[in-house]
Amino acid sequence: MVINDLFLSLSMNTDLIAEAYQRLFPEKECPYITNLEYNRRLSDFNANIKLVYNSLSIHLNLQWKDIDNEIKIGLIQSLMLKVLKKRINTTNINLYNNFVKNIPILTPKTKSDPVLEESFHRTNHKFFQQTMEMPNLTWGTASKRKLASYNFHDDTVTISTLFQEARSEVLDYLMYHELLHKYHKFGHKNGRSSFHTRKFRDDENLYENKSKIEQEINWIIRESSKKKAKTSLFDFLRLK
Ligand SMILES: [Zn+2]
């Protein structure tokens, strides 16, 4: 394959963006003015891409600086394919995905919270035979759209503050879902990542009273909207 020959010719000062493009589309010239920057503003192992006319710029968190170029090319290719709305699988993208799956092992744990920690320990005990390493744990915003998430890039479970007062069964259910993401990692096929695989769903269904808890979650979301409406009316009256 052509790719293997290109691996050899890659030097320290290579324009990684042009290189990434070239490997995706060997028959084309890279049509962009490229700009690759490292900064501290982005969160851990994060990256973003911006395409304006023919200028393509990519910002990487500073942590990427010492990471192998082959992995970075995979990251850049993934970002490019998102912008170009194309699906191609490459050796570099596979390298990048494998790297991302291992970030949690490398990431120092800096964020935690007593309530979330208890929830983690209960869930780890009940479903993972205590084999799960504790990720970073943090409360997010009072989001109704994003109730909880797991970020592979910084090994962090984030849970919406709407659930700060919730029963432990409800909180643990969200925790369990996110820990399953950490546990199952993700599949990658035809340039597309899959997170909620069949195996994932099967495991998720092991949670007792799952449908009742989902109803309770919907109730908490509805109640929080009501509360919010009340507060804003109150604020309005107070202003008068
Ligand atoms: Zn999920």
Side-chain angles (χ1 to χ4, degrees):
M1 243 160 77
V2 187
I3 283 174
N4 290 323
D5 299 326
L6 284 166
F7 275 10
L8 297 172
S9 65
L10 190 61
S11 77
M12 284 294 284
N13 300 317
T14 311
D15 175 347
L16 286 182
I17 299 179
E19 181 71 30
Y21 185 92
Q22 212 68 71
R23 291 189 193 181
L24 278 175
F25 310 106
E27 71 287 0
K28 290 189 207 164
E29 277 283 321
C30 178
Y32 308 117
I33 299 165
T34 63
N35 172 37
L36 183 71
E37 264 175 51
Y38 297 92
N39 69 41
R40 285 174 211 276
R41 288 189 306 278
L42 287 161
S43 57
D44 289 349
F45 282 113
N46 229 318
N48 63 33
I49 185 165
K50 208 155 83 184
L51 178 62
V52 182
Y53 301 109
N54 68 337
S55 129
L56 186 85
S57 61
I58 290 182
H59 289 180
L60 306 178
N61 175 284
L62 199 61
Q63 279 169 307
W64 281 107
K65 196 149 195 176
D66 299 324
I67 306 299
D68 192 272
N69 277 345
E70 293 302 327
I71 295 169
K72 274 190 270 194
I73 287 175
L75 161 66
I76 294 167
Q77 286 178 334
S78 308
L79 292 168
M80 267 180 186
L81 291 171
K82 259 184 216 163
V83 172
L84 301 173
K85 298 192 167 63
K86 281 195 162 66
R87 280 187 201 161
I88 301 171
N89 224 357
T90 71
T91 315
N92 289 96
I93 290 177
N94 287 337
L95 275 173
Y96 163 68
N97 282 324
N98 284 327
F99 176 78
V100 170
K101 287 177 188 173
N102 286 307
I103 289 176
I105 301 166
L106 312 167
T107 307
K109 304 300 167 271
T110 52
K111 285 176 274 182
S112 201
D113 168 272
V115 175
L116 294 173
E117 225 171 273
E118 276 173 33
S119 172
F120 166 79
H121 288 305
R122 282 191 302 265
T123 313
N124 191 20
H125 178 76
K126 193 161 180 191
F127 294 100
F128 301 100
Q129 291 79 45
Q130 319 248 44
T131 56
M132 183 74 77
E133 286 230 30
M134 188 159 72
N136 283 304
L137 300 166
T138 180
W139 294 106
T141 57
S143 175
K144 277 171 250 175
R145 246 169 12 96
K146 204 174 177 189
L147 305 181
S149 61
Y150 174 68
N151 186 341
F152 284 92
H153 291 100
D154 55 8
D155 189 26
T156 302
V157 169
T158 304
I159 295 186
S160 162
T161 52
L162 290 186
F163 298 93
Q164 263 171 339
E165 310 286 316
R167 291 193 305 126
S168 59
E169 284 82 353
V170 175
L171 182 60
D172 292 359
Y173 175 65
L174 296 171
M175 181 65 72
Y176 179 49
H177 180 102
E178 301 316 326
L179 291 178
L180 281 176
H181 280 305
K182 181 176 160 89
Y183 179 76
H184 283 285
K185 302 195 164 86
F186 51 89
H188 200 78
K189 229 171 34 192
N190 308 323
R192 191 181 194 180
S193 301
S194 53
F195 295 94
H196 300 123
T197 56
R198 180 72 189 271
K199 268 194 193 151
F200 183 103
R201 291 301 185 198
D202 286 348
D203 276 351
E204 198 186 24
N205 285 330
L206 297 175
Y207 204 89
E208 281 160 42
N209 302 322
K210 181 172 172 274
S211 54
K212 218 187 115 209
I213 284 170
E214 277 173 357
Q215 280 173 12
E216 201 168 330
I217 287 174
N218 288 329
W219 182 83
I220 291 172
I221 295 168
R222 278 199 309 275
E223 283 302 301
S224 79
S225 312
K226 277 190 216 160
K227 257 187 227 158
K228 209 172 180 186
K230 255 188 220 159
T231 338
S232 43
L233 179 64
F234 178 73
D235 287 344
F236 175 72
L237 292 172
R238 204 167 49 175
L239 278 175
K240 282 190 113 184

